[in-house]
Amino acid sequence: MFDTGGSLCPSNASFSYCNAFRGGIFDYNSTTFSLASSVIAAGGPPGDNDTTDVGLSVGGSDSLHVGSNATLARFPVGFSRYDWGGGYYPLNSIGLDFNSTMLSWLKAIGSIGSRTYSIYWGLAGATGTAKMDGSLVLGGYDYAKVQGKKYQRGFGPCGICETGMVVEVTDIQLNFPNGTNSSITPGESINTCIVPAFPGVMSLLNDPFCSNFERLTNTSRLGRSVGINYGGILYPPDAVYVPGTVISSETGLTGDRFDGDLTITIASTLMIRIPNSQLVQPDLILDQDGNPQFNGSNVEVLIDPIYGNITSNMPKLGRQFFTAAYLTVNQDAEDFALWQANPTDSVHLLAIKDPTCQGGVPSNTSNPGNPTNSAAPKPTAENQGWKVSKDVIIGVTIGGF
């Protein structure tokens, strides 16, 4: 997290800008907060002693409220003294990795039945019809937001892929409005790392794949974004279409603009189609007061080009990929699953049990996992695949700019 003692914002930035840039700044003036000499001294896992990514961090503990049904007292938190995320990861972070204190504590007190989390980013387009809140589910997944058969596999080693979630992308196609399709990765299979916090749909080798995109769409880039969706490719507004928006420099347009979709195929079985409204955005920046603003002179395609060798920078599938895909990560089963996302406000939460726990989850807890506002069909064994129960689960609505 970032705090008032180390927000690490530009020296000339206003507090309002910094607060928005970091997604909030922690204030020590809390009756429940207790400062500690380190994150470990506050109760964090021993692995947090590694300061490679967080610098000389400060530790402490506070009460953490998760959803409306779980409170973790004296929960350890760390405050960075190093800008570990740069432009790609500027926000405060929730740790849901393999040694996640949050998931372990929630499971220990019976608020969830397994160390599982699921993410749907929602719709993050430029206009109202292309916007929808997403969701984060702890202890299970939202059955209402998945469709089709799931793709499931185990974790790989956490080396070049920091999450251990590697998939094989076997094709990436541009889908044009006239019904034709063209591959920007013909004959290639690309090992790709799932990183839900990464901005954009994906990162991809500039040569030849991003160059193929520009050849097939007859576009030429202006540069790369340093805004909210950091790293995406910028184009003039007359080259790429943003659905439902009017950009000031669009008067007197000539030529054609790319206004198609992007379909990413995983392991030759799961096809995720990213609609144009989620692939292409106005360049979104923060003004000096921290208010999100569109930069009308640029349009951004949410693909981050990789230059050089991918042996040290594996391509990634990022947060906007999950406008069209749904991810469930089951750390107890040591696997993860992907579905096509079903964009709906309906909710049908299903809890997932620890596969090693024969006795189920504690019964002295509330049950926020009952389906609500749901028209989803009854789950079947084929759709589930894990030990699914109606016991305990936590669902949280998430939304962006």
Side-chain angles (χ1 to χ4, degrees):
M1 295 178 64
F2 295 92
D3 63 295
T4 51
S7 56
L8 303 172
C9 288
S11 58
N12 60 344
S14 67
F15 179 82
S16 297
Y17 173 91
C18 196
N19 191 57
F21 180 67
R22 294 303 186 193
I25 298 175
F26 187 87
D27 189 348
Y28 293 139
N29 295 321
S30 167
T31 58
T32 56
F33 177 75
S34 177
L35 187 65
S37 58
S38 69
V39 178
I40 295 177
D48 284 350
N49 193 41
D50 182 359
T51 60
T52 303
D53 290 330
V54 297
L56 299 175
S57 61
V58 175
S61 62
D62 206 339
S63 295
L64 177 66
H65 302 280
V66 185
S68 59
N69 295 283
T71 298
L72 302 177
R74 298 184 299 280
F75 186 80
V77 290
F79 306 99
S80 177
R81 292 295 179 263
Y82 172 73
D83 190 10
W84 64 274
Y88 285 102
Y89 308 105
L91 300 175
N92 299 297
S93 299
I94 299 174
L96 297 175
D97 210 343
F98 301 108
N99 67 339
S100 170
T101 305
M102 177 185 290
L103 291 178
S104 297
W105 282 30
L106 287 171
K107 181 182 175 183
I109 66 173
S111 291
I112 58 177
S114 65
R115 292 180 302 131
T116 299
Y117 68 90
S118 299
I119 292 176
Y120 170 57
W121 187 249
L123 299 180
T127 59
T129 57
K131 289 180 176 292
M132 176 183 290
D133 284 341
S135 69
L136 169 66
V137 178
L138 306 180
Y141 71 108
D142 189 346
Y143 179 76
K145 292 182 175 62
V146 305
Q147 59 182 326
K149 291 187 176 181
K150 72 179 176 182
Y151 169 82
Q152 186 172 352
R153 68 172 300 171
F155 294 133
C158 292
I160 187 173
C161 176
E162 60 264 42
T163 64
M165 294 186 286
V166 178
V167 295
E168 182 186 21
V169 173
T170 50
D171 196 16
I172 303 174
Q173 293 217 353
L174 299 178
N175 313 117
F176 294 93
N178 64 4
T180 62
N181 304 297
S182 296
S183 176
I184 64 173
T185 59
E188 299 283 348
S189 292
I190 307 166
N191 284 332
T192 307
C193 181
I194 295 175
V195 185
F198 185 81
V201 171
M202 70 183 309
S203 63
L204 199 60
L205 270 176
N206 181 66
D207 186 17
F209 305 132
C210 293
S211 297
N212 285 344
F213 172 89
E214 295 180 342
R215 175 179 57 82
L216 291 167
T217 58
N218 193 29
T219 53
S220 297
R221 74 189 67 177
L222 298 173
R224 297 170 70 184
S225 174
V226 294
I228 300 299
N229 297 312
Y230 190 91
I233 308 175
L234 298 177
Y235 295 95
D238 61 350
V240 185
Y241 176 62
V242 180
T245 63
V246 177
I247 297 180
S248 58
S249 58
E250 287 187 350
T251 55
L253 295 179
T254 59
D256 297 326
R257 292 181 293 174
F258 172 68
D259 55 355
D261 302 340
L262 185 80
T263 296
I264 300 171
T265 302
I266 295 174
S268 301
T269 58
L270 179 64
M271 299 177 68
I272 303 297
R273 183 161 176 155
I274 313 295
N276 184 267
S277 63
Q278 307 303 308
L279 173 67
V280 182
Q281 310 263 318
D283 187 21
L284 186 61
I285 60 176
L286 295 176
D287 67 17
Q288 61 181 0
D289 295 320
N291 301 308
Q293 301 287 336
F294 290 143
N295 178 359
S297 60
N298 296 322
V299 171
E300 182 178 5
V301 173
L302 301 182
I303 298 175
D304 187 330
I306 300 173
Y307 296 89
N309 197 323
I310 63 171
T311 56
S312 59
N313 188 4
M314 180 180 284
K316 298 177 176 65
L317 292 170
R319 62 193 183 207
Q320 262 85 2
F321 176 73
F322 297 103
T323 62
Y326 191 92
L327 172 69
T328 294
V329 181
N330 188 336
Q331 294 175 359
D332 290 324
E334 298 183 351
D335 65 12
F336 63 94
L338 291 169
W339 288 267
Q340 292 179 357
N342 178 32
T344 177
D345 290 323
S346 297
V347 177
H348 187 160
L349 299 182
L350 291 177
I352 296 174
K353 289 184 179 181
D354 182 344
T356 65
C357 179
Q358 300 301 317
V361 295
S363 59
N364 60 342
T365 57
S366 60
N367 179 16
N370 289 329
T372 58
N373 188 28
S374 173
K378 183 178 180 180
T380 65
E382 180 184 21
N383 289 327
Q384 296 169 15
W386 294 293
K387 290 185 176 180
V388 178
S389 71
K390 293 184 179 179
D391 289 313
V392 286
I393 193 170
I394 297 172
V396 181
T397 299
I398 57 176
F401 289 106

